[in-house]
């Protein structure tokens, strides 16, 4: 059994037609049919329900499809990683979500560049969801995000949990509550949620936080990104829950008030390919924990021992 045979089988399943699958693969239909017949003979079972329109798999075919797609994905992952390892120029590409630029990520990247002068570091903004696919395709090597998205090919490491704050106009009655407020205090406020990227995203995370407290926001509006949301807050149009690092964004008439609920945090994850344990990634972890120590930020010490 060859990878090409698996590719042909997967194409027929997904197109539900030998004709369409042949067009997708740029081959004639008769050779494709022979490949599937050969595959069925090798496996000793029928993979498709003959005569069904559109073409359907048998129970054995469905089982085989689920595992064939995983094998093909793993093969692509190995190929992309091998290319990167064999590259003459050492490059590490990092994906990140935009809100992390207002926290410690810029300092981590700068420190990493200084400690690894022989390494070319490239950074690209992308959602956590897109980072997972980019990792599997070899487009990036690590991703910094805020969402817990599971994928068997990707290892996800919780670096820390960042406290959440509420951005509001300085004229708002709660703006002077320096000690903080609770989610229940703002559930009826007009809120801006960001970004407008496909869900799940940071908006999903914040709305889930309200739901876990038995609260439902009644007045909400989505904004393209954090900058637009805070600009609308500065205009007195409403409030916005942001990670604590965003407090560095100083706009006239915008105050930041801490959220006091114990679980009012946004996790920060580092994602990498499951089989990747290169020296460059280990050095990145070392740099991250160095910065955390310098800032007095709590993190799992046992976790750090795995990478230092």
């Amino acid at each position: 059994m060859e990878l090409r045979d698996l590719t042909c089988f997967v194409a027929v399943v997904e197109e539900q037609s030998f004709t369409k699958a042949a067009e997708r693969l740029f081959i004639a239909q008769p050779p494709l049919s022979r490949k599937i017949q050969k595959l069925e003979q090798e496996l000793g079972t029928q993979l498709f329900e003959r005569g069904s329109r559109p073409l359907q798999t048998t129970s054995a075919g469905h089982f085989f499809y689920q595992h064939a797609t995983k094998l093909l994905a793993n093969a692509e992952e190995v190929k992309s990683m091998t290319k990167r390892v064999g590259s003459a120029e050492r490059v590490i590409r990092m994906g990140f979500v935009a809100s992390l630029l207002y926290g410690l990520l810029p300092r981590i990247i700068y420190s990493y560049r200084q400690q690894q002068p022989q390494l070319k570091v490239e950074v690209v903004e992308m959602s956590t969801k897109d980072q997972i696919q980019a990792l599997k395709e070899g487009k990036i090597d690590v991703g910094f995000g805020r969402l817990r998205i599971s994928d068997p090919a990707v290892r996800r490491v919780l670096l820390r949990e960042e406290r959440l704050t509420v951005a509001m106009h300085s004229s708002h009655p709660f703006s002077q509550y320096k000690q903080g407020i609770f989610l229940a205090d703002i559930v009826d406020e007009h809120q801006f949620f960001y970004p407008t990227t496909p869900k799940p995203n940071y908006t999903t995370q914040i709305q889930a936080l309200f739901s876990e407290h038995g609260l439902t926001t009644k007045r909400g509006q989505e904004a393209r990104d954090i900058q637009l949301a805070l600009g609308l807050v500065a205009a007195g149009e409403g409030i916005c829950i942001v990670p604590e690092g965003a407090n560095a964004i100083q706009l006239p008439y915008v105050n930041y008030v801490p959220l006091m609920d114990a679980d009012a945090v946004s996790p920060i994850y580092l994602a990498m390919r499951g089989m990747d344990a290169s020296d460059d990634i280990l050095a990145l972890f070392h740099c991250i924990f160095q910065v955390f120590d310098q800032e007095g930020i709590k993190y799992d010490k046992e976790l750090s021992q795995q990478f230092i």
Side-chain angles (χ1 to χ4, degrees), residues 126-304:
M126 58 176 64
S127 70
T128 305
K129 185 178 179 181
D130 289 341
Q131 287 176 28
I132 302 301
Q133 190 61 35
L135 280 167
K136 293 163 66 175
E137 294 175 356
K139 294 179 179 178
I140 61 173
D141 300 292
V142 296
F144 292 89
R146 293 188 179 276
L147 299 180
R148 177 172 179 156
I149 299 178
S150 298
D151 189 289
V154 175
R155 181 180 182 187
R156 185 186 60 251
V157 177
L158 175 62
L159 296 178
R160 71 183 184 100
E161 293 184 322
E162 185 176 9
R163 296 296 308 174
L164 295 173
T165 63
V166 185
M168 58 183 63
H169 196 273
S170 57
S171 65
H172 194 287
F174 288 147
S175 68
Q176 304 306 316
Y177 283 44
K178 303 302 182 183
Q179 295 300 314
I181 55 178
F182 292 91
L183 287 165
D185 296 325
I186 59 173
V187 67
D188 293 326
E189 298 283 335
H190 182 86
Q191 299 189 46
F192 293 105
F193 299 101
Y194 69 89
T196 52
T197 54
K199 293 178 175 57
N201 56 17
Y202 180 71
T203 293
T204 313
Q205 189 180 91
I206 296 302
Q207 291 176 336
L209 184 59
F210 277 101
S211 296
E212 288 165 6
H213 283 254
L215 303 170
T216 302
T217 55
K218 301 177 177 62
R219 302 165 60 199
Q221 179 180 340
E222 290 193 352
R224 182 181 62 251
D225 51 38
I226 187 172
Q227 292 89 350
L228 179 58
L230 290 177
L232 291 168
V233 170
E237 295 295 311
I239 66 173
C240 181
I241 296 177
V242 298
E244 191 175 48
N247 295 11
I249 306 175
Q250 294 298 312
L251 293 176
Y253 309 114
V254 174
N255 288 359
Y256 296 95
V257 179
L259 271 175
M260 296 175 64
D261 303 86
D263 57 348
V265 296
S266 178
I268 299 176
Y269 293 101
L270 185 146
M272 57 187 177
R273 285 180 287 273
M275 64 179 71
D276 198 347
S278 68
D279 290 340
D280 294 333
I281 290 182
L282 294 178
L284 175 60
F285 274 105
H286 179 74
C287 183
I288 291 169
F289 296 129
Q290 269 188 333
V291 172
F292 284 2
D293 285 335
Q294 292 164 5
E295 291 295 312
I297 292 174
K298 294 181 180 179
Y299 60 92
D300 187 344
K301 297 292 184 180
E302 291 184 5
L303 171 65
S304 69

Side-chain angles (χ1 to χ4, degrees), residues 45 53 56 77 121 181 229 263:
T45 186
R53 293 290 183 275
Q56 300 293 323
E77 182 180 343
V121 180
I181 55 178
D263 57 348

